[in-house]
Amino acid sequence: MIAPAGNFKFYVATKPVDFRKGMDGLAAIVLNEFDLDPFSGAIFIFRSKRADRLKLIVWDGTGLVLVYKRIEGKGFEWPRVSDGVMTMTKSQFEALFEGLDWKRVIARGTRRPIAV
């Protein structure tokens, strides 16, 4: 598992994107459709039409990094398809990246899942 160190913001594109797009095309979506800065250091997560693939981009201070993952089995647990972007906690991202149900991630000291 890739576990990002530090305090990153995580943004998930809730609508599938064309997975032929590379890092520049995804950065353009972040800038033009979400009105966010792809070079802010936040992690931007994208889903394919098939639930078994994700891409993420992040600016690491020296360049734009693209990560692509295809998961075996039933696929990733994604938020409901809609226009726009949603935020996610680091723990929720880690669960999503592992193929777990990120909506069931519970904050320490609470008995309820974290509100999304």
Side-chain angles (χ1 to χ4, degrees), residues 1-4 10 88-100 102 105:
M1 147 100 194
I2 296 175
F10 296 88
M88 172 175 281
T89 67
K90 181 180 178 181
S91 297
Q92 289 171 326
F93 165 74
E94 289 171 347
L96 171 72
F97 198 81
E98 289 296 322
L100 302 172
W102 58 272
V105 173

Side-chain angles (χ1 to χ4, degrees), residues 4-25:
N7 290 331
F8 288 96
K9 284 197 167 210
F10 296 88
Y11 295 97
V12 180
T14 55
K15 185 175 165 183
V17 298
D18 180 355
F19 254 44
R20 294 174 293 184
K21 291 189 184 299
M23 62 180 69
D24 295 325

Side-chain angles (χ1 to χ4, degrees), residues 22-38:
M23 62 180 69
D24 295 325
L26 296 173
I29 290 173
V30 170
L31 187 63
N32 299 324
E33 293 183 26
F34 305 146
D35 200 26
L36 296 169
D37 180 8

Side-chain angles (χ1 to χ4, degrees), residues 36-80:
L36 296 169
D37 180 8
F39 307 107
S40 66
I43 296 176
F44 299 95
I45 305 152
F46 300 89
R47 63 179 291 173
S48 65
K49 289 179 184 172
R50 298 167 65 174
D52 66 340
R53 297 154 202 260
L54 73 71
K55 283 186 178 180
L56 65 87
I57 60 170
V58 61
W59 176 259
D60 73 352
T62 62
L64 203 55
V65 177
L66 172 70
V67 177
Y68 181 108
K69 182 171 182 177
R70 182 183 69 213
I71 195 165
E72 300 299 322
K74 70 178 183 99
F76 294 102
E77 287 290 328
W78 290 107
R80 199 171 301 136

